Amino acid sequence: MVARFSLSPQQASADISQYQQIVPSNAVLDPSTKVYVRAEGFQPLFLKDAFVWMRQGRETGDLSVLPCESVPIPARRADAEIMMALIGGYETRTALSIRYQSLTSAEPSQRVICPHHIVDHGPRVHVRAWDDRRRIFTDFVVGRILSAEPEPSYPWVDQMADTLWHETVTVRLAPHPGLSATQRAVVEREHCMHDGEVAVPVRKAMVLYVLDGLGLLDAVREGDGTPDATRGVRCLDAAALKPLLPALITEPQDYSPRAGIHVAGEEKGAMP
């Protein structure tokens, strides 16, 4: 305790004594080693995320902590000048004229955007913004923005108009029906399920990324939310989530910034 928390020996002793008073059955003194050890019926009093504990322990040089390795992902570029422009545009509520290279077009396009959130979902970083060209709120991969300049003549479109960002939907997961009883039990435990399912509230604008991360994107888009059994889980509300995926874009939102009129439609937020 002295080494780990930079305490004095006197303070460490006082803390152990106080802990013993609160939960006397958690730790017992081993007479042979003069060390407090975990008792058989130990129940943690101060719960802490194990991954946070391991990371902090390694960062402080505690080699007794079990190492935790992250899967390496190729670095995605987020140019400092572009980030400064996005941050500055949001801070001053000034639209930005950007040059953007979409992977659906051979050449870059010029767009006017009003950014309102940066989203990091692992494989890439994107900016959620109003897109004047398509008249919708959508996502732009930050690394594909080639240039960004203030466009003060364009009226700012506030994030409050982004209904898909502010509205949430529940992603309900359950064990795959093809699993055995013991397999279902371990999946329920792994995903902290209760009564055979778990419900995760998600912004409608982020359903695509959540399903993709769970390996359920194709199953929801093309079927009933039941993927290969090796995924372990299935999506119980695929029918409700499917219309939110980019493959099913309907009419975009119609916004006339110069007239100040906003008409909500059913745009489903595809990434250009």
Side-chain angles (χ1 to χ4, degrees):
M1 289 177 66
V2 170
R4 178 70 173 82
F5 300 107
S6 300
L7 302 176
S8 68
Q10 295 80 7
Q11 184 62 58
S13 296
D15 288 344
I16 292 174
S17 177
Q18 184 177 8
Y19 184 82
Q20 288 289 80
Q21 293 175 18
I22 299 173
V23 278
S25 60
N26 261 5
V28 295
L29 186 63
D30 185 336
S32 63
T33 61
K34 304 299 183 183
V35 171
Y36 281 97
V37 296
R38 190 167 67 174
E40 185 175 345
F42 175 84
Q43 291 294 328
L45 180 62
F46 304 105
L47 295 176
K48 185 170 183 178
D49 187 289
F51 293 98
V52 174
W53 183 268
M54 289 188 293
R55 185 181 68 250
Q56 291 178 346
R58 299 298 292 188
E59 288 174 350
T60 58
D62 187 350
L63 300 181
S64 68
V65 176
L66 179 68
C68 182
E69 183 76 11
S70 298
V71 176
I73 298 176
R76 295 298 183 106
R77 181 178 176 84
D79 187 87
E81 293 293 329
I82 300 299
M83 289 301 299
M84 288 173 59
L86 293 172
I87 293 170
Y90 179 78
E91 181 180 5
T92 61
R93 302 300 193 269
T94 302
L96 299 172
S97 176
I98 67 169
R99 190 163 166 263
Y100 187 75
Q101 179 61 70
S102 169
L103 295 189
T104 60
S105 304
E107 298 297 329
S109 61
Q110 202 69 30
R111 323 282 271 262
V112 175
I113 68 169
C114 298
H116 70 73
H117 273 84
I118 294 290
V119 179
D120 181 358
H121 57 92
R124 63 165 64 95
V125 176
H126 69 258
V127 57
R128 182 76 177 174
W130 167 259
D131 176 18
D132 178 64
R133 179 177 176 181
R134 298 172 63 199
R135 305 286 178 157
I136 59 172
F137 284 97
T138 188
D139 305 326
F140 295 90
V141 180
V142 174
R144 298 174 191 169
I145 300 177
L146 306 179
S147 64
E149 299 292 338
E151 186 61 60
S153 65
Y154 189 89
W156 179 261
V157 183
D158 191 78
Q159 64 169 299
M160 294 306 296
D162 189 354
T163 56
L164 292 182
W165 180 264
H166 294 286
E167 294 179 358
T168 61
V169 67
T170 300
V171 176
R172 294 167 54 238
L173 306 175
H176 193 284
L179 300 178
S180 68
T182 54
Q183 287 174 326
R184 287 197 300 272
V186 78
V187 167
E188 290 177 5
R189 179 181 179 185
E190 179 186 7
H191 293 275
C192 302
M193 295 182 181
H194 298 284
D195 297 325
E197 67 175 74
V198 62
V200 183
V202 178
R203 294 184 189 274
K204 288 184 177 181
M206 309 220 12
V207 167
L208 167 69
Y209 310 112
V210 172
L211 293 178
D212 189 34
L214 290 168
L216 298 174
L217 182 58
D218 290 339
V220 171
R221 178 183 282 139
E222 301 172 4
D224 62 356
T226 305
D228 183 271
T230 57
R231 289 292 179 185
V233 296
R234 64 188 177 108
C235 180
L236 295 177
D237 40 17
L241 300 178
K242 186 174 180 179
L244 297 174
L245 300 180
L248 296 179
I249 295 176
T250 59
E251 291 300 315
Q253 293 181 339
D254 180 20
Y255 186 89
S256 177
R258 299 191 184 280
I261 300 172
H262 175 261
V263 180
E266 292 294 328
E267 160 58 23
K268 302 310 176 188
M271 177 176 288

